[in-house]
């Protein structure tokens, strides 16, 4: 059993910043990668950024330079620093984790989502 707990969402004015956190807990042998996805109203879910536990990052092209993903292996936690926020960043942000179990099987897990609202 693995749980992902997200925090840090909220309401912010355009140009402001937020930092999202996601902590994984439970039956974890190792973490392969964690990432952030978002779903805006009326749109499909899209990748924001992800990071392997070795530290390799991947960003949506449109967000590169404003958003930074990082991880703390000691805490099984991934962060998303969001700067220069725009109204179009408004979405529900979901944490994702690809985790290896003690049975050596890999599984995807999802957080419950945290709302980010950027006002103009």
């Amino acid at each position: 059993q693995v749980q992902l707990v997200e925090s840090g969402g909220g309401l912010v004015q355009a140009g402001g910043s937020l930092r999202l956190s996601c902590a994984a807990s439970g039956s974890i042998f190792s973490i392969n990668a964690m990432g952030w996805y978002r779903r805006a109203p009326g749109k499909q879910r899209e990748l924001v950024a992800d990071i392997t536990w070795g530290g390799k990052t991947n960003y949506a092209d449109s967000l590169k330079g404003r958003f930074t993903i990082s991880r703390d292996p000691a805490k099984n936690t991934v962060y998303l620093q969001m700067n220069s926020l725009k109204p179009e960043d408004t979405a529900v942000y979901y944490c994702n984790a690809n985790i290896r179990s003690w049975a050596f099987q890999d599984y995807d897990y999802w957080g419950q989502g945290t709302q980010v609202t950027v006002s103009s």
Side-chain angles (χ1 to χ4, degrees):
Q1 186 94 344
V2 173
Q3 300 82 39
L4 302 180
V5 179
E6 300 148 319
S7 62
L11 176 64
V12 66
Q13 289 186 329
S17 298
L18 286 173
R19 190 177 78 152
L20 306 183
S21 299
C22 176
S25 62
S27 184
I28 299 170
F29 178 77
S30 62
I31 296 174
N32 299 313
M34 294 183 72
W36 291 95
Y37 294 72
R38 68 184 185 184
R39 182 163 55 236
K43 295 186 176 181
Q44 296 291 107
R45 184 183 65 191
E46 64 176 351
L47 172 70
V48 176
D50 57 28
I51 185 167
T52 72
W53 235 233
K56 182 181 178 182
T57 59
N58 181 54
Y59 295 91
D61 288 341
S62 62
L63 302 177
K64 198 173 298 182
R66 293 195 297 122
F67 288 14
T68 303
I69 192 168
S70 61
R71 87 279 189 236
D72 185 346
K75 297 180 179 180
N76 285 351
T77 297
V78 67
Y79 305 96
L80 184 69
Q81 179 67 45
M82 304 185 293
N83 297 325
S84 301
L85 284 162
K86 304 174 181 179
E88 49 263 47
D89 295 319
T90 295
V92 178
Y93 285 70
Y94 296 91
C95 179
N96 169 264
N98 187 260
I99 289 172
R100 181 156 293 176
S101 73
W102 283 307
F104 220 71
Q105 302 294 323
D106 296 339
Y107 300 97
D108 273 332
Y109 296 89
W110 293 91
Q112 79 285 352
T114 184
Q115 177 71 47
V116 171
T117 303
V118 184
S119 65
S120 59

